[in-house]
């Protein structure tokens, strides 16, 4: 998978392996080989010690919903009426709930909240982040109740 299948804005990156993980159904963080700091989204250059060396580590399990919002007027590239060329074209949510979960490790993961009725979404609830490959072949991250 190409990185542009995850991000519309970044096409060349040293963390391309991230999208390979998404394709396998795995969320990956970067772990600095010098200081051991773990970053999500992954960073090729450690923000703590500036080292360029990193390994991939999986982001597993569930997290606690820190915050969320609902997008009532999605930006043009999220809009469901663009004939399948947009990364989130499969998500015809109105409104579209988006949240950030904090994992037990402290990493924070943002994703679309799926399978939870809007009135049941609440800060503190447990959600599981996981990659999802959309019908148009692009990748995104969803937050759901269930482990795979
Ligand atoms: Zn480091």
């Amino acid at each position: 998978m190409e990185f542009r299948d995850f991000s519309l804005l970044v096409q060349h990156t040293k963390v391309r392996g991230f999208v390979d993980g998404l394709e396998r159904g795995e969320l990956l963080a970067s772990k600095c080989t010098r200081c051991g700091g773990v970053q999500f989204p992954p960073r090729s250059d450690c923000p703590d010690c500036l080292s360029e060396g990193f390994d991939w580590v999986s982001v597993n399990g569930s997290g606690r919903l820190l915050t969320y919002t609902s997008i009532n007027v999605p930006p043009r590239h999220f809009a469901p009426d663009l004939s399948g060329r947009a990364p989130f074209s499969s998500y015809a949510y109105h409104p579209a709930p988006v949240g950030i979960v904090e994992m037990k490790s402290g990493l924070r993961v943002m994703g679309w909240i799926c399978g939870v009725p809007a009135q049941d979404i609440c800060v503190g609830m447990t959600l599981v982040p996981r990659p999802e490959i959309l019908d148009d072949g692009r990748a995104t991250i969803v937050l759901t109740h269930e482990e795979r």
Side-chain angles (χ1 to χ4, degrees), residues 20-69:
D20 296 331
L22 295 178
E23 199 166 24
R24 293 192 308 269
E26 189 176 18
L27 271 185
L28 296 173
S30 58
K31 182 176 182 179
C32 176
T33 54
R34 181 186 292 166
C35 75
V38 179
Q39 307 293 326
F40 186 90
R43 295 181 179 181
S44 61
D45 301 317
C46 180
D48 297 324
C49 74
L50 305 181
S51 170
E52 294 180 3
F54 70 94
D55 294 320
W56 293 111
V57 293
S58 291
V59 178
N60 294 317
S62 60
R64 188 177 63 86
L65 185 63
L66 284 182
T67 188
Y68 69 97
T69 190

Side-chain angles (χ1 to χ4, degrees), residues 54-134:
F54 70 94
D55 294 320
W56 293 111
V57 293
S58 291
V59 178
N60 294 317
S62 60
R64 188 177 63 86
L65 185 63
L66 284 182
T67 188
Y68 69 97
T69 190
S70 294
I71 300 173
N72 290 287
V73 181
R76 185 175 164 83
H77 62 282
F78 285 10
D81 60 351
L82 294 179
S83 320
R85 289 179 300 194
F88 307 109
S89 59
S90 302
Y91 288 90
Y93 297 149
H94 296 283
V98 176
I100 298 173
V101 293
E102 185 172 71
M103 308 302 288
K104 291 178 180 76
S105 63
L107 295 179
R108 293 178 175 185
V109 181
M110 186 174 79
W112 299 94
I113 301 172
C114 293
V116 183
Q119 67 273 15
D120 294 344
I121 299 172
C122 61
V123 168
M125 71 187 308
T126 299
L127 293 172
V128 178
R130 63 174 177 79
E132 184 166 306
I133 307 299
L134 304 175

